[in-house]
Amino acid sequence: MLISIALIFIMGLGMAYICKKMNIPRIIGMLVTGVVLGPNVLNLLDTSILDISADLRKMALVIILIKAGLSLNLEDLKKVGRPALMLSFVPATFEIMAYTIFAPLFFDISRVEAVVLGAVLSAVSPAVVVPRMVQLIEEKYGTEKGIPQMILAGASLDDVFVIVIFSTFLGMAQGESLKITSLWNIPISIILGLLLGAIVGYIISMFFESFYKSNNHIRNSEKVIIILSISFVLVAVENWLEGIVPISGLLAVMSMALTIAMFSVKGVVIRLQAKFGKLWIAAEVVLFVLVGAAVDIRYTMSFGINAIIIIFIALFVRSIGVFICMIKTPLTIKERLYCIFAYLPKATVQAAIGSVPLTLGLPCGKLVLSIAVLAIIITAPLGSFCMDHNYKKLLKQEK
């Protein structure tokens, strides 16, 4: 196992560095590393690593959500208002609808399985989008109209919305029936997840505050361990209450992190953001390399042109959803086009949940994972290129 871990980090980071030098997203290098090291090519990874890969990917997803919750600013949300709120669910809903309608025409899957496929593929990638929006804020491109803040807020909430939708329809796919009454579980799951996370986050922030006032400081590394441990418990709560009451453990994690950010000292929040940022460096490598290892590249390539066509059809429909979110805003056509570019890349969420249907033994599992990986390979470089080479042309720099 130790050799496998060493190979994952050394080769994963090495390929990420090479891709970065070639102006390709780092995650592509990590995916390629996983494919090469995996059982379908060189078979260099220990089976004990592959056996727990689903749990390791879930841990990486929790870290992403904590990082997003700590970074999300409610003031920015209020500033950009309605468009940011619409961006959190309208584009993803449009893309899910596209897969639901068109996927059964291209592949031998049921309508419910098509919804699961759409839920996996409809999330925008924070790993690709967030660093670029931070760069725009630093260089003051589009900041006068709050464009990068709007995309940051919308993209963060978009991921949570998609994960909740995915969890709901995954349960329906396992039951092999689509019950309209089950859709009520979605708002209930969201509300209870937000409420649980807010309560737990407030208790944690007061706990940290009590130590701060008494001059018995808790080290930031210890705070990270506490937050991470409680996050794992929140995710487990969802499983404990399954069949009793629907609740989104992942949404509770993000709500908890957001509440901690609201009620904690600003300096503490900044240090926690930095700590989780460093933790994400390792989690990102593990996540994408293990996803690549789960892919049978020959099976993925067998879908050929059909998979590529359905991905671009869904992106086109998604772009219509983004454009609708921009209606009645002061944004110009160029600025709206940039928002569409920012919502193209897929990566993080697809890597985290793309293999779940396969792990659960769903008939569509291999198809979902293969198209998810293909979507990452296509859209991550495409979205990155469009954002990096057009922001100076499409956005106005604030003086």
Side-chain angles (χ1 to χ4, degrees):
M1 181 185 283
L2 293 178
I3 295 297
S4 296
I5 293 173
L7 287 172
I8 287 172
F9 282 109
I10 293 172
M11 291 189 65
L13 289 172
M15 285 296 294
Y17 178 78
I18 292 171
C19 286
K20 187 177 180 181
K21 285 294 183 183
M22 297 170 64
N23 288 324
I24 300 172
R26 288 160 39 92
I27 51 180
I28 302 299
M30 298 174 196
L31 278 173
V32 171
T33 300
V35 171
V36 173
L37 294 178
N40 297 304
V41 182
L42 297 181
N43 195 23
L44 295 178
L45 297 181
D46 196 289
T47 54
S48 56
I49 286 283
L50 299 176
D51 290 340
I52 62 170
S53 64
D55 294 321
L56 293 174
R57 290 195 298 270
K58 180 64 90 49
M59 291 170 64
L61 182 58
V62 167
I63 293 170
I64 297 167
L65 293 174
I66 295 173
K67 189 169 176 287
L70 290 172
S71 303
L72 198 58
N73 191 326
L74 281 181
E75 292 303 316
D76 286 342
L77 276 176
K78 292 176 183 177
K79 180 180 176 182
V80 293
R82 178 189 59 82
L85 181 62
M86 291 184 68
L87 282 171
S88 68
F89 69 93
V90 173
T93 301
F94 270 60
E95 190 165 2
I96 291 172
M97 289 169 57
Y99 279 105
T100 305
I101 295 169
F102 294 105
L105 303 179
F106 287 87
F107 310 105
D108 185 22
I109 58 175
S110 67
R111 198 70 69 181
V112 178
E113 290 172 330
V115 177
V116 172
L117 174 63
V120 169
L121 292 170
S122 60
V124 70
S125 170
V128 178
V129 173
V130 170
R132 285 165 175 80
M133 295 307 106
V134 172
Q135 179 187 349
L136 290 184
I137 293 172
E138 290 173 351
E139 296 184 17
K140 296 189 179 298
Y141 275 94
T143 50
E144 189 173 351
K145 296 180 181 178
I147 294 171
Q149 295 92 329
M150 176 182 69
I151 294 172
L152 265 178
S156 300
L157 294 174
D158 166 276
D159 291 346
V160 178
F161 171 78
V162 166
I163 291 167
V164 173
I165 293 290
F166 170 74
S167 301
T168 301
F169 283 101
L170 188 65
M172 294 180 183
Q174 287 176 286
E176 298 182 355
S177 62
L178 180 60
K179 299 177 181 178
I180 300 301
T181 54
S182 299
L183 295 176
W184 287 109
N185 289 340
I186 297 175
I188 295 173
S189 177
I190 291 173
I191 293 169
L192 291 181
L194 287 171
L195 187 61
L196 176 62
I199 292 171
V200 173
Y202 181 76
I203 293 172
I204 292 173
S205 61
M206 292 302 102
F207 175 72
F208 290 162
E209 185 72 14
S210 65
F211 275 86
Y212 182 80
K213 289 181 178 178
S214 62
N215 291 321
N216 296 318
H217 298 299
I218 303 176
R219 294 177 60 185
N220 291 314
S221 298
E222 293 173 338
K223 291 177 182 176
V224 168
I225 294 171
I226 292 171
I227 293 172
L228 205 52
S229 301
I230 293 174
S231 297
F232 295 152
V233 173
L234 289 176
V235 172
V237 166
E238 180 177 349
N239 296 326
W240 296 341
L241 297 178
E242 188 175 357
I244 302 173
V245 60
I247 184 169
S248 171
L250 294 173
L251 186 53
V253 169
M254 186 171 178
S255 175
M256 177 197 69
L258 176 59
T259 306
I260 291 172
M262 287 173 58
F263 290 97
S264 298
V265 178
K266 187 176 181 181
V268 172
V269 176
I270 292 172
R271 288 191 289 273
L272 285 175
Q273 289 173 350
K275 290 285 184 182
F276 277 101
K278 293 174 182 177
L279 198 58
W280 171 239
I281 294 173
E284 182 185 35
V285 178
V286 172
L287 173 62
F288 286 102
V289 172
L290 288 180
V291 166
V295 174
D296 185 341
I297 195 66
R298 289 166 296 182
Y299 182 81
T300 302
M301 292 299 106
S302 68
F303 295 114
I305 193 68
N306 282 356
I308 296 173
I309 290 173
I310 190 68
I311 288 170
F312 277 100
I313 289 174
L315 286 178
F316 176 74
V317 176
R318 178 186 186 83
S319 299
I320 295 173
V322 175
F323 192 82
I324 289 173
C325 295
M326 301 295 107
I327 293 174
K328 293 186 179 180
T329 65
L331 272 61
T332 64
I333 294 296
K334 289 183 178 181
E335 291 166 339
R336 297 181 190 196
L337 181 60
Y338 184 84
C339 293
I340 290 174
F341 289 159
Y343 261 65
L344 291 179
K346 320 283 183 186
T348 322
V349 176
Q350 287 72 28
I353 65 177
S355 60
V356 173
L358 179 62
T359 305
L360 295 176
L362 292 182
C364 64
K366 218 169 184 180
L367 172 71
V368 171
L369 177 59
S370 297
I371 298 182
V373 171
L374 195 59
I376 295 172
I377 293 171
I378 292 172
T379 64
L382 176 64
S384 301
F385 179 86
C386 290
M387 284 188 282
D388 292 344
H389 290 79
N390 291 291
Y391 75 95
K392 291 184 179 180
K393 301 174 185 175
L394 301 179
L395 300 180
K396 184 179 179 182
Q397 188 174 28
E398 185 179 354
K399 295 181 181 179

